[in-house]
Amino acid sequence: MAVETKFVVVRKGEEKMTFANKKEADAYDKMLDMAEAFTDWLLQHQPALEETQAETLGLLIAEQKDAVQHILRTSKLPEALPSASAVDHEENDDVATATNTKKVRAVKAA
């Protein structure tokens, strides 16, 4: 019997993404926190923007933070745009919620 450790990112009490290591889970969790902050900022500065649009834009900005930082530093597009991360865009309705990462042990029969 093998024991497998998994790390699960949870939002609104719902499991959103599972990772094999804590570093990846924490990075995803941090990206979702950043998306939430961008969403709030967009809604403050563009009140006419629908919340779902703000969440989508907030998530995009957070996912593409390296490209955004490059544009802010240089006022130019990056030469090679990084591909979109493995974030499921159907999750953006959960961006503006509390978050935590929990460790789950799954036992698999050998």
Side-chain angles (χ1 to χ4, degrees), residues 43-82:
L43 289 171
Q44 284 177 354
H45 290 71
Q46 294 294 321
L49 195 62
E50 290 185 26
E51 188 170 349
T52 56
Q53 291 174 320
E55 289 172 350
T56 300
L57 289 171
L59 189 58
L60 175 65
I61 294 168
E63 288 173 340
Q64 299 298 319
K65 75 173 188 160
D66 293 335
V68 171
Q69 288 173 339
H70 178 81
I71 292 167
L72 291 171
R73 278 193 316 271
T74 66
S75 298
K76 296 179 183 176
L77 288 175
E79 298 240 346
L81 294 175

Side-chain angles (χ1 to χ4, degrees), residues 5-23:
T5 302
K6 295 186 180 198
F7 296 86
V8 181
V9 176
V10 178
R11 291 197 168 258
K12 282 188 177 176
E14 185 179 333
E15 295 181 6
K16 289 297 169 189
M17 189 77 89
T18 302
F19 296 89
N21 66 54
K22 183 166 176 40
K23 184 178 178 181

Side-chain angles (χ1 to χ4, degrees), residues 70-107:
H70 178 81
I71 292 167
L72 291 171
R73 278 193 316 271
T74 66
S75 298
K76 296 179 183 176
L77 288 175
E79 298 240 346
L81 294 175
S83 63
S85 65
V87 175
D88 184 2
H89 290 285
E90 293 174 4
E91 294 173 7
N92 26 345
D93 60 328
D94 294 319
V95 169
T97 60
T99 181
N100 62 31
T101 303
K102 67 180 180 180
K103 190 175 183 178
V104 176
R105 291 188 186 267
V107 179

